[in-house]
RNA sequence: GGCGCGGUACCCAAGUGGCUAAGGGAGAGGUCUGCAAAACCUCGAUUCGCCGGUUCGAAUCCGGCCCGCGCCUCCA
């Protein structure tokens, strides 16, 4: 049984999809006004783990991730640069997809863009007006919170106790109640304007998610994810719009991940602790898979403290997994297989699956993997592992890649360029001739190229220790 | 002030009433090795933010306190 912590109830609940075997998933994507940072990717990584685990568990998953390409910040950015909205957001959208690819985050089925779904939003706003849940004021349209008694259920905010913050005072739009939020914004100097049957203007922020989730997933659907900072107001408002419009529930399970901080502090450009994928991978030469393991291995409901030490630790863990596979693939084992290993794999699988099934408790799952590695390493050391065992264990570990996404390419998919291969052979010759200084010199050259040599009693073997990043 | 997360070894982190408090990293010593790498073995928290309480028994339950973090109207 799979269980998730549902923000709606605040408790761990058994996960039961609306349609057996199928999961409809909506995750809040980027607002493309700037380059995404590793904190943003932490959320996408959590969602990737969730989706991969659901698929691994046998569900068919339909995943929708929105791209917010019209809002205050994108408009401001485009105006500042003197270009159109589309021209302004295009490079950020491209960079976002590149970041996903570098981190091996599986693509969503659809990436709907807000600007391409204005008619869907208009239809909902029109419906809300007709029901009297929305009202017009100075060309804008607002959602009337007083008409939605359930408001605050997700964030557990009591409206009467909401403390006004500075932002309310600076709001440029007139509303009946400060808690009402904009569905549609009246045309303003410099804003893009859509001519629609509810009048000219542009959409508010929250309406796109209500409109696009309904279009691609229906209502209700199973799981909606995002960062904790989206709980209020964004997700609360989505619920209000969608449920008031359709008269039925919006989402069954809300899953939210916590933030990523850097060295114990919030990441911000002014502090200089603001990292993007290219910063780490291209500029600093970080293995993207180490970053992936780091992001994925901290439980999603805990704050992730990003440090370079933690990144090194993740890289070390990754190395242990890779070296283990390398061992299984490059050693000569005696023929046969043992029931002991078959049993060990059954136990490992049970523990691994159980961990993730319990609200994505990945620590348990990784422990299961590392325990398998340690036990099999002992057997290798004692010459008790047979060829069939090695194949079975390696196949199992690779199968986990469906969930973890960190494994190296399989043996057939990796090779050394001819020049490096020649160096490996040259070193072997030197070593046989006991010219160790030449042998060590070549070893160093190979190391600089990211290739590590290991001398075993069965001869030399090489492994690639750096995954080339990005481009 | 409200709502929500968290505080377990040098670092990351599991464990929510009971066998010796998982696992990974780093460190120290050892085996192996031309050197190295990997692997293996050994060592490492009498103790879980603090103080009380409940209990035969508490990291785990209850009460109080301290500390860190997030959200509180367009932030993942």
């Amino acid at each position: 049984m799979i269980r998730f912590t549902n923000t709606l109830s605040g408790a761990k609940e058994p996960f039961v999809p609306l349609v057996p075997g199928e999961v409809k998933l909506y995750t809040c994507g980027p607002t493309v006004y700037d380059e995404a940072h590793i904190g943003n990717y932490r959320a996408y990584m959590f969602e990737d783990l969730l989706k991969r685990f659901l698929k691994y568990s046998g569900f068919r998953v339909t995943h929708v991730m929105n791209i917010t390409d019209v809002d205050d910040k994108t408009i401001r950015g485009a105006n500042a640069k003197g270009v159109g909205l589309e021209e302004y957001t295009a490079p950020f959208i491209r960079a976002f997809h590149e970041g996903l690819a570098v981190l091996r985050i599986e693509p969503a089925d659809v990436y709907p863009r807000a600007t391409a779904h204005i008619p869907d939003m208009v239809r909902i706003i029109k419906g809300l007006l007709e029901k009297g849940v929305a009202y017009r004021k100075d060309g804008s349209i607002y959602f009337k919170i007083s008409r939605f008694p359930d408001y605050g259920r997700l964030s557990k905010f009591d409206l009467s106790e909401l403390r006004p913050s500075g932002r309310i005072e600076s709001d440029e739009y007139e509303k009946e109640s400060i808690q009402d939020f904009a569905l549609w914004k009246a045309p303003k100097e410099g804003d893009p304007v859509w001519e629609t049957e509810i009048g000219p203007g542009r959409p508010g922020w929250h309406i796109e998610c209500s409109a696009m989730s309904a279009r691609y997933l229906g209502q209700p659907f199973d799981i909606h994810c995002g960062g904790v900072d989206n709980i209020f107001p964004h997700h609360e408002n989505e619920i209000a719009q969608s449920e008031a419009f359709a008269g039925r529930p919006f989402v069954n399970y809300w899953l939210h991940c916590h933030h990523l901080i850097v060295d114990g502090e919030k990441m911000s450009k002014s502090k200089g602790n603001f990292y993007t994928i290219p910063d780490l991978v291209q500029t600093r030469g970080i293995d993207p898979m180490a970053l992936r393991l780091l992001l994925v291995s901290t439980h999603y409901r805990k704050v992730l403290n990003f440090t370079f030490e933690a990144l090194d630790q993740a890289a070390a863990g990754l190395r242990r997994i890779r070296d283990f596979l390398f061992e299984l693939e490059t050693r000569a084992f005696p023929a046969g297989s043992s029931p002991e290993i078959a049993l060990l794999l059954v136990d490992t699988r049970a523990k691994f699956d159980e961990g993730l099934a319990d609200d994505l408790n990945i620590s348990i799952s990784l422990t299961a993997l590392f325990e398998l590695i340690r036990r099999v390493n002992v057997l290798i050391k004692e010459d008790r592992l047979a060829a069939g065992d090695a194949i079975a264990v390696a196949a199992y570990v690779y199968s986990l890649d469906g969930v973890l996404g960190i494994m190296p390419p399989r043996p057939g998919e990796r090779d050394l360029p001819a020049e490096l291969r020649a160096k490996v052979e040259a070193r072997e010759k030197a070593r046989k001739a006991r010219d160790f200084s030449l042998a060590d010199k070549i070893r160093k050259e190979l190391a600089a190229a990211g290739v590590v040599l290991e001398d075993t009693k069965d001869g030399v073997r090489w492994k690639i220790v750096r995954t080339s990043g990005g481009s």
Side-chain angles (χ1 to χ4, degrees):
Chain A
M1 183 182 64
I2 296 175
R3 305 196 311 154
F4 294 130
T5 298
N6 190 346
T7 309
L8 220 39
S9 63
K12 252 186 229 178
E13 300 175 2
F15 175 66
V16 183
L18 288 155
V19 176
E22 282 183 37
V23 178
K24 305 282 193 202
L25 173 69
Y26 187 94
T27 62
C28 277
T31 300
V32 285
Y33 68 99
D34 196 358
E35 199 175 352
H37 53 70
I38 54 173
N40 299 118
Y41 284 104
R42 195 245 168 139
Y44 310 142
M45 191 65 82
F46 141 65
E47 290 150 2
D48 189 52
L49 177 66
L50 170 67
K51 179 165 78 171
R52 284 168 175 264
F53 178 64
L54 288 169
K55 286 164 83 173
Y56 169 88
S57 303
F59 292 101
R60 196 160 70 238
V61 179
T62 308
H63 176 202
V64 176
M65 180 183 261
N66 65 297
I67 290 182
T68 302
D69 59 354
V70 53
D71 82 314
D72 290 357
K73 289 182 201 161
T74 44
I75 292 169
R76 199 183 306 137
N79 287 343
K81 251 184 122 180
V83 298
L85 206 48
E86 198 162 331
E87 189 183 338
Y88 179 74
T89 57
F92 299 125
I93 294 174
R94 203 161 44 238
F96 163 68
H97 286 296
E98 279 165 12
L100 295 182
V102 167
L103 292 178
R104 284 201 211 162
I105 292 173
E106 290 188 350
D109 296 285
V110 195
Y111 290 101
R113 292 161 62 160
T115 51
H117 294 79
I118 303 290
D120 288 329
M121 303 184 212
V122 167
R123 195 170 49 88
I124 294 176
I125 296 169
K126 203 175 155 213
L128 291 172
L129 281 169
E130 282 162 6
K131 292 191 176 194
V133 188
Y135 60 91
R136 292 175 183 274
K137 182 105 183 185
D138 300 332
S140 291
I141 301 172
Y142 298 95
F143 186 94
K144 200 179 178 79
I145 282 176
S146 58
R147 292 290 310 273
F148 191 73
D150 248 10
Y151 197 82
R153 187 165 151 234
L154 184 73
S155 53
K156 321 236 174 344
F157 284 149
D158 181 345
L159 280 185
S160 60
E161 288 175 9
L162 270 189
R163 188 155 142 170
S165 78
R167 274 196 270 190
I168 289 175
E169 289 145 34
S170 68
D171 200 309
E172 299 153 54
Y173 299 89
E174 289 298 321
K175 302 183 266 189
E176 283 181 8
S177 156
I178 54 166
Q179 284 135 5
D180 291 347
F181 59 91
L183 296 163
W184 190 254
K185 297 186 173 187
K188 259 198 336 185
E189 181 67 40
D191 275 12
V193 174
W194 280 267
E195 294 294 340
T196 72
E197 51 179 314
I198 53 171
R202 63 164 174 112
W205 174 35
H206 318 292
I207 194 69
E208 66 178 70
C209 289
S210 287
M212 300 192 296
S213 64
R215 163 161 290 270
Y216 297 101
L217 300 175
Q219 183 176 338
F221 62 93
D222 298 297
I223 306 178
H224 192 136
C225 301
V228 286
D229 51 347
N230 277 156
I231 295 172
F232 191 87
H234 187 49
H235 292 161
E236 195 71 60
N237 291 352
E238 284 181 40
I239 293 172
Q241 295 160 347
S242 291
E243 299 195 351
F245 172 71
R248 52 179 188 273
F250 177 43
V251 169
N252 282 350
Y253 299 87
W254 288 91
L255 273 57
H256 292 98
C257 84
H258 275 258
H259 283 99
L260 174 149
I261 58 175
V262 174
D263 294 321
E265 309 188 300
K266 188 166 179 163
M267 181 164 45
S268 74
K269 283 189 172 163
S270 56
K271 281 182 187 146
N273 61 358
F274 184 96
Y275 300 113
T276 64
I277 305 278
D279 285 344
L280 295 176
V281 172
Q282 270 140 42
T283 311
R284 291 173 186 254
I286 301 285
D287 182 338
M289 290 305 98
L291 179 57
R292 179 177 170 97
L293 182 59
L294 174 63
L295 293 179
V296 94
S297 63
T298 297
H299 187 82
Y300 75 97
R301 285 189 296 107
K302 286 187 82 167
V303 171
L304 192 164
N305 187 18
F306 177 89
T307 62
F308 282 97
E309 189 188 356
L311 193 55
D312 286 345
Q313 291 181 7
L318 188 64
R319 212 177 305 128
R320 183 160 166 85
I321 297 168
R322 288 178 174 175
D323 283 336
F324 176 65
L325 285 170
F326 182 69
E327 209 60 45
L328 293 175
E329 287 159 359
T330 57
R331 259 181 194 255
F333 296 102
S337 60
S338 66
E340 191 187 343
I341 289 294
L343 214 61
L344 179 60
L345 289 177
V346 167
D347 287 348
T348 301
R349 178 180 287 279
K351 185 170 178 184
F352 185 93
D353 294 2
E354 222 172 89
L356 284 170
D358 181 16
D359 199 26
L360 298 180
N361 189 339
I362 192 155
S363 293
I364 297 291
S365 300
L366 290 177
T367 293
L369 173 58
F370 283 115
E371 272 174 359
L372 172 74
I373 290 173
R374 188 170 43 77
R375 287 186 191 177
V376 173
N377 270 332
V378 170
L379 295 176
I380 292 173
K381 166 95 173 163
E382 295 171 350
D383 283 324
R384 286 167 56 208
L385 197 77
D389 296 332
I391 291 169
V393 172
Y396 173 69
V397 174
Y398 275 115
S399 78
L400 297 182
D401 207 38
V403 185
L404 300 176
I406 54 172
M407 301 305 171
R410 297 186 192 218
E413 296 165 358
R414 64 184 183 222
D415 202 3
L416 227 45
E419 51 179 292
L420 294 181
R421 193 170 271 287
K423 283 197 177 193
V424 175
E425 281 159 21
R427 176 177 171 279
E428 271 307 273
K429 259 174 92 178
R431 216 164 74 88
K432 287 243 167 67
R434 304 194 69 77
D435 182 353
F436 293 123
S437 67
L438 176 62
D440 288 352
K441 181 174 162 270
I442 299 174
R443 189 215 289 279
K444 271 190 186 159
E445 289 169 8
L446 284 166
V451 176
V452 165
L453 296 182
E454 294 185 3
D455 300 316
T456 73
K457 61 180 195 288
D458 301 317
V460 69
R461 55 187 193 182
W462 54 266
K463 61 185 176 189
I464 298 171
V465 294
R466 269 205 302 275
T467 308
S468 65
S471 54

